Amino acid sequence: MQASTLEPQMAANIDGGTGGELNAAALVAGLRTYFRSGTTADLAWRRQQLSQLRKLLSDNEEQLLQALREDLNKAPQEGYTTEVSALYGDIDHALKHLKKWAGKRRVSTPVIAQPGRSYIQPEPLGVVLIIGAWNYPLQLLLSPLVPAVAAGNCAVVKPSELAPATSKLVAELLPRYLDNDAFACIEGAVPETTALLEQRWDHILYTGGGAVGKIVMSAAARHLTPVTLELGGKSPCIVADDADIDVAARRIAWGKFTNAGQTCIAPDYLLCTRATADRLLPAIEKAVREMFGEDPGQSADYGRIVNRRHAQRLADYLADGDVVFGGRVEVENRYVAPTLLRNVGVQAPVMQEEIFGPVLPVIELEDFGQVEAFVNGREKPLALYVFTRDEHLADRILSHCSSGNACVNDCMMFMAAHDLPFGGVGPSGMGAYHGEHGFKTFSHFKAVMKRSYLFDLDLRYAPFTGKKFKLLRLLR
């Protein structure tokens, strides 16, 4: 059934109509009934929904970019590159590989089970919940939806209320393009999210902070619902003495100050020797000026903090070290300049909490050999970055330091590879998605064996004898 004809059914999931309370139980029950009809299992239906999602993006690209500008002051090119284009890539990759991903996977059958054949059959989980984040309010909401659709599930997406323009637009657009019997977009804040989390889902994917991640996991545990948690943490950026300083500085500045630093995989602190810091920090300052000019506050390409509360939180970090450059804050305008901090104590708040903004502290080590101990003395991060010309050094750090994702001689670029999983480890998250890994997250891989009625050997049946035992040992 076409989405455009079903918008009234979406309204029926809200008690009292527009502005009424969410009837989450009725919503989930309706989706589950539709899932059980078998419609979503059909590959042609999945392809159609993915194509419709792509059409949603292409038809409304300008509006979506404008919404991102309103919420976070994202420049159109940045919004396109980090959100819209990334979604095009996710959808195109899924469409290209869907038949292979959804196909049966033959595995060997032991001698004792012959004649027979064994295979793994992917099947959709059912009805899933996707809770998006405000920092990339389009990409982090719809990117998980792509594998959920590809795997054949029904889904509810919950956009972040902290990005109201994007949330409102997505809520308006999704019912026009997708099958309303299979998908719903629910706006709101804590009450709506709480109501959704009280329901039984077949999977929940949440992107955000660890504190809410614990709430999500606790709610899911009541129904034994599996979860994927994309959280964050303090992602180290290690710069060795032999690194190409100019290239490293430019890539670090891009990775840190894109989206005004509000990126879960942005470098959270620099780790290097004092000698390297003396060369690196002026190079980063130069790179910032090249990207955003002498006054980033006047640049059309530099973002804003999501709200005044977060701007004030970031302003408070400036007291935790010496400002090398930047440091300007306008809380009312949600502006925090790209800032480098030096002489930062490891126990300072800026080194204890995920920064999630354009403030980059520098930790200087007397001996570069202390790098691994420093990183491993903290919680496992979502990302880890190493800049060095020494491949053996990079491999050693990657082997000895655990992280959800890692990149050598660049920042964040692993996100561009659709065949790489994206996910955290330990407090930085659990589970992964992107590409086939997302398809697996939203699928159950059912083990199947088919046997013939021929040769029903009695070895496994009582009464047991010494002869049977010997034969069983030979056949194992």
Side-chain angles (χ1 to χ4, degrees):
M1 195 176 293
Q2 293 301 310
S4 59
T5 66
L6 289 176
E7 290 183 45
Q9 293 187 25
M10 290 291 291
N13 291 321
I14 308 291
D15 282 342
T18 304
E21 292 185 4
L22 170 66
N23 188 340
L27 171 63
V28 176
L31 295 173
R32 199 171 300 284
T33 296
Y34 191 63
F35 174 76
R36 288 170 178 162
S37 74
T39 303
T40 69
D42 181 47
L43 288 190
W45 180 90
R46 302 187 205 182
R47 289 185 180 279
Q48 181 196 37
Q49 296 306 303
L50 289 171
S51 297
Q52 282 292 103
L53 189 58
R54 197 185 198 288
K55 192 172 188 300
L56 181 156
L57 297 171
S58 60
D59 287 353
N60 303 280
E61 194 174 286
E62 188 175 335
Q63 289 177 267
L64 291 165
L65 294 176
Q66 179 57 36
L68 294 170
R69 174 69 102 177
E70 290 179 31
D71 287 330
L72 292 155
N73 198 46
K74 289 193 182 190
Q77 184 171 332
E78 181 181 307
Y80 178 83
T81 302
T82 62
E83 305 224 33
V84 177
S85 178
L87 289 169
Y88 283 143
D90 287 342
I91 295 168
D92 292 344
H93 187 73
L95 286 169
K96 180 179 179 180
H97 297 282
L98 179 57
K99 184 177 179 181
K100 177 184 175 183
W101 293 349
K104 297 174 182 177
R105 301 151 196 231
R106 290 290 298 270
V107 297
S108 62
T109 301
V111 174
I112 193 67
Q114 296 292 350
R117 55 194 175 96
S118 304
Y119 57 89
I120 299 168
Q121 180 173 324
E123 63 180 22
L125 293 176
V127 182
V128 304
L129 173 64
I130 297 168
I131 304 175
W134 54 261
N135 56 323
Y136 290 86
L138 184 68
Q139 192 262 346
L140 291 177
L141 182 71
L142 299 186
S143 183
L145 181 61
V146 172
V149 174
N153 297 283
C154 293
V156 171
V157 294
K158 166 62 180 67
S160 173
E161 70 278 11
L162 297 184
T166 305
S167 175
K168 182 175 184 291
L169 183 57
V170 171
E172 291 174 356
L173 294 177
L174 273 180
R176 299 181 194 171
Y177 288 84
L178 298 189
D179 185 339
N180 282 202
D181 284 339
F183 306 106
C185 180
I186 300 301
E187 290 193 277
V190 173
E192 290 75 16
T193 304
T194 300
L196 291 171
L197 288 174
E198 288 173 351
Q199 309 310 310
R200 181 179 69 81
W201 304 90
D202 295 292
H203 196 94
I204 299 174
L205 188 147
Y206 165 76
T207 303
V212 177
K214 293 177 181 178
I215 295 172
V216 171
M217 193 170 183
S218 177
R222 292 197 294 270
H223 301 287
L224 296 179
T225 297
V227 297
T228 299
L229 301 178
E230 300 299 344
L231 306 178
K234 300 194 70 63
S235 298
C237 183
I238 301 164
V239 184
D241 294 339
D242 70 338
D244 184 319
I245 293 299
D246 290 335
V247 175
R250 193 176 188 188
R251 292 177 179 179
I252 292 168
W254 172 80
K256 179 60 180 179
F257 301 120
T258 290
N259 199 30
Q262 299 166 112
T263 306
C264 58
I265 53 172
D268 206 77
Y269 64 94
L270 287 177
L271 197 57
C272 59
T273 63
R274 178 170 290 275
T276 294
D278 288 339
R279 295 184 298 134
L280 179 62
L281 303 193
I284 294 178
E285 180 176 4
K286 178 185 175 185
V288 170
R289 294 183 190 281
E290 288 174 349
M291 288 193 293
F292 304 118
E294 292 296 320
D295 181 5
Q298 300 301 313
S299 172
D301 299 326
Y302 186 68
R304 292 296 182 270
I305 306 306
V306 68
N307 57 33
R308 288 186 286 275
R309 178 174 63 84
H310 279 285
Q312 184 59 58
R313 175 183 62 82
L314 293 166
D316 294 341
Y317 286 142
L318 302 185
D320 292 342
D322 298 330
V323 175
V324 176
F325 75 86
R328 185 171 133 216
V329 177
E330 298 173 7
V331 172
E332 288 302 310
N333 294 325
R334 301 182 293 130
Y335 173 73
V336 178
T339 300
L340 274 179
L341 291 181
R342 204 166 183 177
N343 300 320
V344 176
V346 295
Q347 299 303 320
V350 76
M351 281 303 297
Q352 296 300 309
E353 303 158 2
E354 183 180 9
I355 296 170
F356 224 66
V359 178
L360 185 60
V362 184
I363 301 298
E364 300 163 22
L365 301 175
E366 295 181 8
D367 180 1
F368 192 78
Q370 301 172 327
V371 160
E372 293 165 27
F374 189 92
V375 172
N376 290 332
R378 284 146 186 81
E379 299 285 13
K380 295 178 180 180
L382 183 56
L384 181 146
Y385 304 110
V386 184
F387 287 84
T388 179
R389 288 186 170 92
D390 186 340
E391 193 167 330
H392 295 292
L393 173 61
D395 288 343
R396 191 191 79 197
I397 292 173
L398 293 178
S399 297
H400 293 178
C401 299
S402 179
S403 64
N405 314 270
C407 196
V408 177
N409 293 328
D410 211 333
C411 295
M412 306 198 298
M413 287 301 290
F414 50 75
M415 295 294 288
H418 295 292
D419 290 322
L420 287 177
F422 173 65
V425 58
S428 63
M430 63 178 65
Y433 68 105
H434 280 186
E436 186 175 7
H437 301 278
F439 181 88
K440 290 178 177 178
T441 289
F442 290 107
S443 299
H444 168 61
F445 282 71
K446 182 163 59 180
V448 179
M449 180 184 287
K450 288 186 176 180
R451 298 213 55 226
S452 168
Y453 285 120
L454 299 175
F455 306 114
D456 190 29
L457 300 179
D458 65 354
L459 292 178
R460 58 178 165 152
Y461 302 121
F464 302 123
T465 65
K467 183 179 179 180
K468 286 183 179 180
F469 202 0
K470 288 179 182 179
L471 281 173
L472 281 171
R473 286 182 178 274
L474 291 174
L475 292 174
R476 68 182 176 87

